[in-house]
Amino acid sequence: MTDSFQNTEVFSFPEIESIDFKKIEKNYFKVILINVLILFLTLFIGAFFVVYKDWLELGQHYIWIFSALILLLIFTVIFEILGFKKRKYAVREKDISYKKGLLYKSLTTVPFNRIQHVEIDQGPISRFFGLATLSVFTAGDSSDDLKIKGLLKEQSLHIKEFITNKIDG
């Protein structure tokens, strides 16, 4: 009796890094900055009410809280500037890939034959700039497996239609 099962070792792998990744829309950086500013404005207002002593005077020994918040804001903006340049995506014939990250880099590739459905979402700030988020869901998971924020609305619709045709066809 002969065994027909073979499991040959693979010595060369396709180079996913050689793919021509496309950058996220530049206007999405404005969305990120607006969200960061809203967050820090909320933190500043909260800190103000925590350390507020009189109607007109703020305690001198609490000034370090505001200095720390300002430094954190500056650090966050610099981090977002550097990290934004790392957000890229690629749509190929059989899969979609997204890479991001400055300190913790991630590269996610989802083959079309694993995709259950695709959604397009828009928050109020993204909608103002004509941007959308493309979310890709695969079988066996309740959350989105791939989320690409900062695509033009029309572009996200075209990608969704392309993927839908691939998974239906």
Side-chain angles (χ1 to χ4, degrees):
M1 180 171 164
T2 61
D3 192 349
S4 63
F5 175 75
Q6 291 183 2
N7 194 4
T8 310
E9 189 174 345
V10 176
F11 292 103
S12 64
F13 301 98
E15 293 291 327
I16 195 137
E17 288 298 325
S18 64
I19 300 171
D20 184 28
F21 280 88
K22 293 180 176 28
K23 295 180 179 180
I24 299 300
E25 275 303 307
K26 290 179 182 177
N27 273 342
Y28 185 64
F29 186 68
K30 294 175 186 175
V31 174
I32 292 171
L33 283 182
I34 291 170
N35 286 328
V36 166
L37 291 175
I38 289 170
L39 171 68
F40 277 91
L41 183 62
T42 305
L43 290 174
F44 276 110
I45 291 170
F48 177 77
F49 284 114
V50 167
V51 299
Y52 188 71
K53 293 224 177 204
D54 282 333
W55 288 102
L56 300 173
E57 187 177 319
L58 188 64
Q60 289 266 337
H61 58 284
Y62 289 110
I63 233 38
W64 66 270
I65 293 174
F66 293 102
S67 299
L69 282 174
I70 290 171
L71 285 174
L72 187 60
L73 173 63
I74 292 168
F75 175 76
T76 302
V77 169
I78 291 171
F79 190 75
E80 289 293 344
I81 289 169
L82 297 174
F84 181 75
K85 296 175 184 177
K86 304 291 184 184
R87 297 175 185 224
K88 297 178 181 180
Y89 72 97
V91 179
R92 300 189 301 172
E93 185 180 334
K94 297 185 180 196
D95 60 29
I96 183 169
S97 296
Y98 180 61
K99 65 180 183 176
K100 65 178 180 175
L102 186 60
L103 296 177
Y104 297 100
K105 296 180 180 186
S106 73
L107 171 61
T108 305
T109 300
V110 179
F112 294 144
N113 63 358
R114 297 263 307 132
I115 295 175
Q116 290 293 310
H117 70 281
V118 182
E119 289 181 1
I120 296 174
D121 301 309
Q122 281 186 300
I125 300 170
S126 292
R127 190 177 313 114
F128 178 79
F129 289 103
L131 302 173
T133 298
L134 181 80
S135 298
V136 175
F137 297 82
T138 62
D141 199 332
S142 60
S143 65
D144 49 346
D145 293 294
L146 181 83
K147 185 181 276 193
I148 303 174
K149 298 178 180 182
L151 297 173
L152 288 173
K153 173 86 187 258
E154 300 80 31
Q155 189 177 26
S156 63
L157 288 170
H158 289 302
I159 294 171
K160 179 182 178 184
E161 182 178 342
F162 178 76
I163 292 172
T164 302
N165 288 335
K166 288 288 189 178
I167 61 178
D168 288 342

